[in-house]
Amino acid sequence: MASISSSPRTVEEIFKDYSARRAGILRALTNDVEEFSNLCDPEKENLCLYGHPNESWEVNLPADEVPPELPEPALGINFARDGMNHIDWLSLVAVHSDCWLLAVAYFFGARLNRNER
């Protein structure tokens, strides 16, 4: 799942976390696109694309914890896979992933006080 080992505590650490998660998602949508597409089986339950702070990526079910330790990425990325043009589907996943990356950065940034920002 989308677990984090430690929360970024400075603006620089938040940017480093954002950049690493983004690199993982970009890898999933470019270099590893065939593997990514195969993991997004429409017959499975709601799946999400997670980027991790170690530049890896994962397709998995959303976290069960309530509240989750991070904002959840777009739910159900696998359902539209076979009903759309492949490039359009990848573009849709990319847009949702960008929104998730910003939500995670804001989530961590909200913990900073005025001086830390």
Side-chain angles (χ1 to χ4, degrees):
M1 291 291 159
S3 63
I4 52 176
S5 56
S6 64
S7 296
R9 299 183 189 275
T10 65
V11 171
E12 292 80 12
E13 289 176 359
I14 292 170
F15 180 73
K16 186 176 178 180
D17 181 87
Y18 168 86
S19 297
R21 290 176 189 277
R22 182 176 179 272
I25 289 173
L26 283 174
R27 184 175 301 113
L29 298 176
T30 57
N31 297 351
D32 301 342
V33 70
E34 190 173 322
E35 178 185 357
F36 169 69
S37 295
N38 290 336
L39 290 171
C40 292
D41 182 358
E43 298 299 317
K44 295 182 180 174
E45 292 188 39
N46 290 324
L47 295 175
C48 301
L49 172 60
Y50 293 95
H52 294 293
N54 64 357
E55 297 188 10
S56 66
W57 61 273
E58 171 185 27
V59 172
N60 210 336
L61 296 170
D64 289 334
E65 301 126 30
V66 178
E69 60 186 25
L70 286 178
E72 287 296 330
L75 188 63
I77 60 169
N78 52 318
F79 294 135
R81 184 192 75 178
D82 293 341
M84 297 178 71
N85 175 297
H86 190 68
I87 297 299
D88 292 341
W89 173 70
L90 289 173
S91 296
L92 181 66
V93 173
V95 167
H96 287 297
S97 297
D98 281 346
C99 293
W100 176 71
L101 288 169
L102 289 173
V104 171
Y106 276 92
F107 176 80
F108 289 135
R111 297 176 177 182
L112 303 177
N113 65 33
R114 181 171 50 179
N115 294 332
E116 293 169 328
R117 281 179 267 174

